[in-house]
Amino acid sequence: MTRNLAGSFIGTFKRALDTRGEVVSASVEFRKNIEGHVLALGSQLSGGTDAGQATNVFEDAGNELALEHHVLSRSLAAWQLTELVLLRRDSSLASQLLAWINAFEPQPTRASYDAVHAATATATATHSLSVTHPSFWPYIHKCLLRGHWLAAVALLQKHPAFQLKQTKDSPFNALLNHIQSMPKLAQMLLLQRPSLTRPGRCGGDPQSVASAADIAGLVTSFGILFGDLKIIVEAVHNPDDAMRPTSIWYTEPHLDSLRTFIEFPLQLQLLPTRPSQTNYNPFEQAILNLFDLQIDVAVLNHLSHLDPMISAHLIHILDAHSRLDEAEGVDGYVYFGGEDAMRVQRLLEYATSLSATSQDLIWIAIEYLCTLTSASAKTHLETLLLSIPATTPFIFRKLVSIATSQNLSTVLTTLHNKRADEMKHRNRNGEAITHYTAAGFPERAASVSQTVLKTHLAKPSTNKNTHASTHQVITQLSPTLIKQSQHLAVLSKLVSFQTFYKQKQWKQAASAAIDLLTRLPTPKWVWTRVLVDCVGLLELNECVLGVEETFEVVKCLEVVVGSGEEWTGKGVCEIEEGGMDVDCSVEKVRLAASRNLARAMMVA
Amino acid sequence: MLSSSTPAPPTTPRFATFNASPISKVRVVPGGSGGRLPFVTGDSSGKVTLFSASTTANVAKPGALYTAQRHADTVLKANAVTDIAAVDPHTVVAADAAGVVHVVGIAADLATLTLKSSFNPHAWGAVTAIHVQSSQVVSVGVDASVTFTDLSTLKKTTSIADADSSALTGVKWRSAHEVVVSTDSGRLGLVDDRGKRVASAFQDLQHPDIGLNCVAVHPSLQYSIATGCQDGSVKVWDLRNLTYPEIQTFHPHSSEIWDIVFPSHDPTSLLTASQDGSITQFKYNHNNMADAFTKHRTSDKSANVKKVEGLGASVNSVDCFHEVEGLIVAGGDAGQVLVTNI
């Protein structure tokens, strides 16, 4: 029989792997197969087993049928619970769980019901307002805790109070009405909560509340229905009774009841300790035991919408206890999440839901994505980083820092490029060059550098604005960056030349001029300007340019003349009053050079 | 460096409270009394919120956790808050990403925050930092200008354009007329509000490319300046020799440092907040000894290095309460507010 079921299982799943809807259909079909088999086994068992009676089928080794019935019944219960939690979304989870509990959990025993029912009937017959059977209210409470509304209503209606004249507002009628309207959101019940400390406030005939036991019973009943933690804790006697109300009522929670959902098991202190856990944390343990009920998916989904921080904590706990590890699969089973492990998939889903939920959570989403190494996580991270506008240097630095640590070169390129464009627009050329270089666009950096150089030389050196702009560029850039760009290297040396010239540090100025003409890739049009300033150096009283250096000056002059470069006759340095002419011809440069050559030879 | 494992919210409550949006700045408001220690936060949505922590002790208990109560908030035109400075117990100024500085009033009973006035000290771009001394507000921005404004008249008294070639990231008053500014390109500048240009500029030639994110001035030794850097290091500058200032470098963090403070009760130490999600308090010294972190590892239980780690997201700002020794407040990207003594 088992082999037939296994065959049915594999066959069903192999036919329906493509779409979620088909998987649901396959699951339902397979479950019905099990159900049919369970019913068939049940009918074969002699005596008709009472679902409420406990039998230890494992001790009765000879009864293989009973054993198979027991195993398959439990399998059916587990399968249906898994199906309605993980696969089905078409109706209220609370009502489905309720139906599941009523179908598979043993009811309070018939014998105990009969005893209470009989005692109640006696009290009714004698018109006694007090219910003498001590199990009446405990039985009602047990039914309420487990969601057995019909049993609770049936018994409650046998209370003598209902046989007497009751007003609509009496607490008995109120309790009956509330039970008959279950399941509902706890919030709605809280809004309708009557005050039970003063029975008269409930309205109606005070005589309808006949005894202290009735009052206590009513208080406890309402407390259970409204999710009053203290009352529920006092009413339960085992963990199963405690967990049922939370799993039913709080699977569609609002925030207040959600916090109750988290705190409830902790207050209960009824939950077992996992022996393998060395650092016992009651709060974490409570969460883990909740997830043992296998309603984790529904809870996580709701929590993500309601309070992402609580959800973050839960995911962390699950991860820390290896509950998000990759699921083992049956042959042929494909996990719907794709190739990623469950942990990675969960965290990825959670992180993307965070960023979609609110812009304020985007940094938390980024933190989660940074811990994941999968390609899809990197893609999400890139998208998130580029979606954040870098309106301040603070945010820009954050984005760059994260992109650098995660080796996201595309993001870095985009960020630096955008920044460079903005700075270029604002005429902050130094920052523009830095960011273009960081973005990996050396040609754009070179373009800005050339613009800066031309701007610098277009205006007289006494122009303060030009100096400020050039100074800005030079001081912004690191020595490494200056060396990498020929325009910047030339600009830097040019500024040095101008500074020495102005300060009348002739030897240093001469050295800078020779560097510009011979050692640096100075454009020819800059040579024409530098050569003009060399006239001032060549005609000094002291000989600052030696024989070789003078020859270099002449050589450069001839190269410039021969290249057809336009000779402007203007220099780059500040000219003193009474100094040489503003316009300096090529012949003047040749004359000054030949005179200096003669002097230099004599000095040498 | 970001954590390599799943971000870990603390398993026991460690935060005083949470703000809805990421917090960019936390500043203590002076003059707390009656056991209430007020502080304000500025967040990415442009909201300035007033909180207060409660304690009657004069000295914060090491490792103790304090809660904070939210009192009031006000929204500054929905632009992210970039810096906040306290003027007096009833006034703070807050700068935003649109380049506007706002004057916010605090009611005596802490019940309300009122936006009193606003002004634009810069030509364009965000205001990155502000500081207040007497009735003068100094602000610096992305446009690299330093502007001095009189709070009583809201008129600009001095503006120095192009104080540096890169964005200015931090500013603090150093003396009656001088401020110190930190820049994105790693320079430290001194600016006089009576002058027209930057008086002096310094750069660490050993690490010229490391930008500075924040700056702090020693409360009594004005030549001692501390800067938090983009590589997680802290530089302590000794400006007694303006020609050749000395620099000590420490490495308390693995990622960008966003805020740095000289604790008022112990200015021989520095308090830093970092992108790596931790807060560090460490002793530095003036005697040019080796980097404290070469001797003291993070596991060192000595008083020289103290850390608060595992705070999840980046910690963007930190400040010290003056009324209670050792008590600090910090805020970060997850909206977390931490009030503790590390």
Side-chain angles (χ1 to χ4, degrees), chain B residues 235-256:
Chain B
K235 294 188 202 292
V236 180
W237 308 67
D238 186 332
L239 299 184
R240 280 175 286 189
N241 185 337
L242 286 178
T243 307
Y244 299 105
E246 294 176 349
I247 303 174
Q248 282 178 277
T249 305
F250 303 88
H251 300 274
H253 294 284
S254 55
S255 188
E256 313 246 353

Side-chain angles (χ1 to χ4, degrees), chain A residues 319 343 397-398 472 475, chain B residues 6 165 187 209 256 275:
Chain A
D319 188 36
R343 171 186 175 275
R397 287 301 321 167
K398 261 190 190 291
Q472 175 206 101
T475 53
Chain B
T6 309
S165 54
R187 274 182 292 279
D209 297 332
E256 313 246 353
Q275 175 72 22

Side-chain angles (χ1 to χ4, degrees), chain A residues 284 313 316 319 343 347 360 363-364 367-368 370-371 392-394 397-398 401 426 428 431 472 475-476 478, chain B residues 2 5-6 8 11 20-22 97 124 142 144 162 164-166 187 209 230 255-256 258 275 314 316 333:
Chain A
E284 286 191 12
H313 195 169
H316 166 66
D319 188 36
R343 171 186 175 275
L347 290 175
D360 290 333
W363 293 111
I364 304 176
E367 291 276 344
Y368 273 101
C370 286
T371 66
T392 63
F394 171 64
R397 287 301 321 167
K398 261 190 190 291
S401 173
R426 295 286 185 186
R428 296 194 59 79
E431 288 194 82
Q472 175 206 101
T475 53
Q476 160 74 17
S478 68
Chain B
L2 298 172
S5 58
T6 309
T11 54
S21 302
W124 60 272
V142 176
D162 287 328
D164 193 82
S165 54
S166 62
R187 274 182 292 279
D209 297 332
Q230 292 172 359
S255 188
E256 313 246 353
W258 298 124
Q275 175 72 22
S314 164
N316 297 329
D333 272 345

